[in-house]
Amino acid sequence: MDERDFLARRFEEHRTRLKAVAYRMLGSLAEADDVVQEAWLRLARSEADEIDNLGGWLTTVVGRVCLDMLRSRRSRGEEPLESRLPDPIVVEEGSDPERQALIADSVGLALLVVLEALNPAERLAFVLHDMFGMSFEEIAPIVDRTPAAARKLASRARRRVRGEAPEPEPDPVAQRRVVDAFLAAARGGDFAALVAVLDPDVVLRADGGKALPGGMKVLRGVEAVAGQAATFQRMATLSTVRPALVNGTAGLVNTIDGELFSIMSFTVAGERITAIDILSDPERLARLDLADLSP
């Protein structure tokens, strides 16, 4: 094995973690892949034998590239990420253990939406410290701050996350029970049953892409969301609905005549649904890898 092959093998040992960092930073699977590829290119051009901690070095590179990308989005005045849902990670419930392990630490879509609203430095500090356990001494040079300032960035982000993204139900069986109750109420067009399963402050986000005038539709409050009972009923009766894990939590995949129509993600807390995220953008759905789902 030559030196480059050896380096490539060492890089592959870190690929999954690097993609996880980039995905949580950017909310885009395609961009996360681009960032990981950039990290490999920089490693290939470096004096790799002088790197003591390869994992830390690569994570630093990924963090800086993501930070630059987030700042570039803002400086170019691109469409704010809050106006679209992050890319979902979808697998079938009960899929093979290896695939389950890949999503075991997935971040729910509702939390990713909150992360989109943070400024780039806050998001990086929170993701690297709270999700990946990096010290503020390691994070500080990435965001060009002192360790104390990096700690403050993460603290501000944490307060916002806790205020806007309630701690979800950790038990997948309990999650599925609540989602099944929602589906039964939707199929029956039962307004009262929907109200019973929804949190008073539930938020519904529906991203239909360019097909939805005005961008992502957001409804807040149990009456507004339950008021969509007729829409939920059409979706539940006209499509084939299959349970799936969406970013590691209970979700639904809806198809019509075998074609993917929408993906629904639910955040459950206190035995009620606190957030419903629906991706129905045909362009983005077509790019998702749902190979792990049974036909």
Side-chain angles (χ1 to χ4, degrees):
M1 181 184 301
D2 62 27
E3 184 175 343
R4 187 177 178 86
D5 287 340
F6 177 70
L7 187 62
R9 177 171 292 185
R10 292 184 64 201
F11 177 81
E12 287 301 319
E13 294 173 356
H14 299 279
R15 178 182 291 277
T16 298
R17 184 176 189 274
L18 297 175
K19 184 172 180 178
V21 171
Y23 171 65
R24 286 152 179 74
M25 283 295 298
L26 302 172
S28 166
L29 293 169
E31 289 183 337
D33 284 330
D34 291 342
V35 169
V36 172
Q37 180 63 19
E38 176 63 22
W40 161 248
L41 293 174
R42 294 191 184 190
L43 177 62
R45 294 194 299 264
S46 71
E47 298 295 333
D49 55 350
E50 297 180 4
I51 299 173
D52 294 328
N53 179 355
L54 182 59
W57 187 92
L58 288 169
T59 303
T60 296
V61 169
V62 165
R64 286 175 175 162
V65 173
C66 289
L67 199 58
D68 289 343
M69 291 178 69
L70 290 174
R71 288 169 173 166
S72 178
R73 286 174 179 172
R74 296 196 171 199
S75 66
R76 292 198 304 267
E78 292 183 5
E79 179 183 1
L81 290 179
E82 300 96 305
S83 66
R84 68 171 179 83
L85 286 178
D87 291 342
I89 299 175
V90 185
V91 298
E92 190 170 30
E93 290 184 330
S95 59
D96 66 88
E98 181 178 354
R99 184 63 173 171
Q100 291 283 7
L102 288 175
I103 65 162
D105 193 34
S106 291
V107 177
L109 287 187
L111 175 55
L112 281 176
V113 170
V114 176
L115 294 183
E116 303 282 18
L118 301 176
N119 73 47
E122 288 174 343
R123 185 168 185 170
L124 182 105
F126 178 80
V127 168
L128 292 185
H129 180 268
D130 286 44
M131 296 182 178
F132 292 94
M134 287 184 66
S135 70
F136 292 114
E137 286 72 18
E138 295 171 299
I139 295 169
I142 305 177
V143 292
D144 295 321
R145 304 285 209 287
T146 65
R151 183 185 298 274
K152 289 181 180 179
L153 288 172
S155 178
R156 287 202 301 267
R158 195 177 303 116
R159 285 196 299 271
R160 184 161 186 179
V161 166
R162 288 175 177 171
E164 299 185 30
E167 190 69 25
E169 168 60 55
D171 181 3
V173 175
Q175 291 177 25
R176 180 54 61 190
R177 183 169 58 246
V178 174
V179 172
D180 285 346
F182 169 87
L183 185 57
R187 283 179 170 146
D190 191 333
F191 181 86
L194 281 174
V195 169
V197 80
L198 297 174
D199 185 84
D201 298 317
V202 63
V203 178
L204 181 147
R205 290 172 286 257
D207 183 354
K210 297 176 182 177
L212 189 67
M216 185 165 67
K217 180 179 180 181
V218 180
L219 298 177
R220 299 181 185 275
V222 64
E223 290 189 5
V225 176
Q228 301 298 303
T231 300
F232 293 145
Q233 185 178 34
R234 286 196 302 272
M235 184 181 298
T237 56
L238 296 178
S239 63
T240 299
V241 182
R242 287 183 292 162
L245 292 172
V246 181
N247 283 57
T249 62
L252 299 172
V253 173
N254 307 304
T255 58
I256 295 179
D257 296 329
E259 295 293 327
L260 184 59
F261 173 71
S262 67
I263 292 171
M264 302 179 70
S265 169
F266 298 85
T267 303
V268 176
E271 298 186 351
R272 293 197 175 185
I273 295 170
T274 61
I276 303 173
D277 295 291
I278 306 173
L279 179 63
S280 58
D281 181 349
E283 292 184 10
R284 294 179 63 197
L285 290 175
R287 294 197 296 265
L288 292 179
D289 178 13
L290 301 185
D292 287 325
L293 293 182
S294 300

